[in-house]
Structures are given as structure tokens and as C-alpha cells.
Amino acid sequence: MEFGGLYSCRNCLNPLALGDDLVSKNFKAKSGQAYMFIHAMNVVLGPKYDKQLLTGLHTIADIHCSKCGEAVGWKYVQAFDLKQRYKEGKFVLETLKMIEQY
Ligand SMILES: [Zn+2]
């Protein structure tokens, strides 16, 4: 998929993800819409924990901007439902926390 562009931290403009790594724009976070990426960069992973989401139980880790420390989303570490396994290792970034740059 080709979306181009770069997604950066809204707070400090630290680049967080590439448009080319965007998998889906169809995710929801507490703050609103969120995007899923194959990779994220310049992020710090928090401790892993289990969370019951709309699509079942997942082990996730919150991710923070490596520069300003702002919580920007989460990483799917493990999905317990086979149908959700494609999410494992992928990153979800909240659109409210980032800006799209070209
Ligand atoms: Zn930042």
C-alpha cells in the first residue's frame, strides 16, 4: 500500500511512523481514531499487560514518544484469538497524538 508521508509526534515533531508502513486506518483509541502500522520508530515501549478489547483479550504495551515522553499509542504483543493474530508485533498510533507530514 502506498500512502507516502510521515507521521510525527504532535508535541515535538519526532518522526514516529512512515505512511508506507500504514496497515489500517480503522482502529479506535480512547482519544478517537487510531492507525495501525507495521513499524514505529523513535518510540519507547512500556511494560506489557493484558487488556480486554472489543476484539478479545490481547497483551499490549503502551508506546511513548522517545523525545517528549508523550503516550502515543500501543503495540500488540500477543492476541489470544487466532483471528486477531495478524495484529501481533504491530503498532497502533492515535491520530490525535500525531501529525501527518509530507
Ligand atoms: Zn514527542
Side-chain angles (χ1 to χ4, degrees):
M1 282 198 266
E2 287 201 23
F3 292 98
L6 184 69
Y7 294 89
S8 304
C9 175
R10 191 179 288 272
N11 229 11
C12 70
L13 300 184
N14 195 11
L16 299 177
L18 297 172
D20 286 341
D21 289 332
L22 184 56
V23 185
S24 169
K25 291 190 168 183
N26 198 19
F27 278 81
K28 285 267 182 292
K30 254 186 298 178
S31 64
Q33 204 185 4
Y35 295 172
M36 177 180 267
F37 296 89
I38 300 169
H39 302 291
M41 52 191 154
N42 303 317
V43 291
V44 179
L45 242 68
K48 290 184 267 185
Y49 61 97
D50 290 345
K51 193 170 184 182
Q52 188 69 40
L53 302 170
L54 287 175
T55 48
L57 185 64
H58 295 74
T59 304
I60 64 172
D62 290 331
I63 52 178
H64 298 261
C65 171
S66 66
K67 208 159 147 189
C68 72
E70 177 77 18
V72 290
W74 65 89
K75 180 185 182 179
Y76 284 106
V77 179
Q78 195 189 348
F80 292 88
D81 183 341
L82 280 175
K83 287 198 291 287
Q84 305 299 328
R85 285 271 158 91
Y86 73 95
K87 294 178 185 169
E88 289 180 356
K90 297 195 175 74
F91 297 82
V92 175
L93 295 172
E94 300 174 29
T95 54
L96 197 73
K97 303 294 179 70
M98 57 187 185
I99 55 167
E100 202 173 343
Q101 296 182 307
Y102 288 95

